Amino acid sequence: RNGDGVPVDKARAAELYRRAADMGESDAQYDLAFMLDSGEGVPADHQEAERYFRMAADQGDSDACLCMGGILFERGEYKDAEECFLTAAMKGDVKAEYNIGLLYMGDYLGAPDMAKAEEWFSSAADKGFALAHTILGTMALDAGDAREAERRFRLSAEQGEPTAMYNLGAMGLSDQARMGFQEAVEWLTRAARAGYEPAYEVLARLSSQNRAGRPGARPGNRSPMCRGCRRR
């Protein structure tokens, strides 16, 4: 698969993974599922990928549990997704913790439970997960705690998270954060370079106005579910 000492042959790698996977090797099940899901060296086959992700997840593989949770979430099977995420979270997976927070924050499992959501987000944030800091910043801003919101956004922005960079710049423009105009513009610029569309729009308005007439910018909120499938 990697060309480590031999020519790269992904099709042969997939064949060997399949042989090991069918003998019950969870690492091989996950790696084969990833290749099938992403079409790495073999034709993409999402149904077959799900079958092998599930086999690995049933053996407690945390990466496979995270991937299966994402698949189930996309299909609207939220309770089963929660179970997969909980298995991964109990093994310390921060993406799974964040995903559980999103489930409780929304109405996927019934009425939203913001207290439980915040607990899971905080656990992921304490482990350094940038998106968790971003969403906690948004929650703090909604609660009127601009100081805490700025702190959270800054922790996430310094890791390169685009929404946090935009939110930090937006807070600076609206005088909700302790920063000068130039720093606010720098954060917006970094967000724009990372592809965050609202930052382009604010910068475009800024370029057509002088500083005295600078436009406001409302902080945004990005809360994507982290499917988490990764090559390993």
Side-chain angles (χ1 to χ4, degrees):
R1 184 183 185 186
N2 301 322
D4 184 9
V6 294
V8 172
D9 188 340
K10 293 184 182 294
R12 176 62 172 159
E15 177 188 338
L16 292 168
Y17 280 140
R18 190 181 295 273
R19 287 170 59 183
D22 290 342
M23 289 189 286
E25 172 54 53
S26 63
D27 285 343
Q29 290 164 355
Y30 177 87
D31 286 327
L32 176 60
F34 182 95
M35 294 182 76
L36 289 165
D37 192 56
S38 61
E40 182 190 340
V42 293
D45 186 335
H46 300 302
Q47 184 174 353
E48 187 74 347
E50 179 180 339
R51 186 170 76 88
Y52 281 104
F53 276 137
R54 190 179 294 276
M55 290 168 66
D58 287 345
Q59 296 196 65
D61 185 290
S62 61
D63 287 335
C65 288
L66 185 62
C67 292
M68 271 308 306
I71 291 169
L72 293 166
F73 176 84
E74 291 167 2
R75 202 153 59 212
E77 298 176 23
Y78 303 125
K79 188 62 180 175
D80 290 339
E82 179 195 24
E83 291 181 9
C84 287
F85 291 144
L86 281 170
T87 299
M90 291 302 102
K91 295 176 180 290
D93 191 298
V94 295
K95 291 182 179 179
E97 292 179 344
Y98 167 83
N99 286 350
I100 296 169
L102 290 180
L103 287 173
Y104 283 121
M105 188 178 192
D107 57 1
Y108 303 107
L109 302 172
D113 189 330
M114 298 304 290
K116 284 187 177 180
E118 186 171 358
E119 286 180 12
W120 283 105
F121 289 141
S122 296
S123 180
D126 288 345
K127 297 180 178 70
F129 191 56
L131 277 174
H133 282 297
T134 298
I135 205 162
L136 286 168
T138 301
M139 293 170 72
L141 200 59
D142 289 343
D145 190 344
R147 185 181 293 268
E148 175 65 5
E150 179 187 354
R151 185 180 79 85
R152 291 290 187 179
F153 289 146
R154 193 174 291 277
L155 285 168
S156 184
E158 288 172 351
Q159 294 185 57
E161 205 286 292
T163 307
M165 293 190 288
Y166 169 82
N167 287 352
L168 198 55
M171 289 185 73
L173 285 186
S174 58
D175 297 321
Q176 292 177 285
R178 298 159 295 177
M179 71 178 71
F181 175 77
Q182 189 57 45
E183 183 184 353
V185 171
E186 288 174 0
W187 282 116
L188 289 168
T189 301
R190 289 178 62 180
R193 287 174 178 163
Y196 193 70
E197 188 65 30
Y200 284 105
E201 297 169 3
V202 174
L203 289 170
R205 294 201 303 272
L206 279 172
S207 69
S208 64
Q209 301 179 29
N210 58 34
R211 179 172 176 177
R214 73 194 193 207
R218 296 185 61 185
N221 181 23
R222 188 178 80 168
S223 53
M225 184 66 63
C226 291
R227 182 169 172 186
C229 298
R230 62 183 180 87
R231 192 183 194 282
R232 68 184 191 189

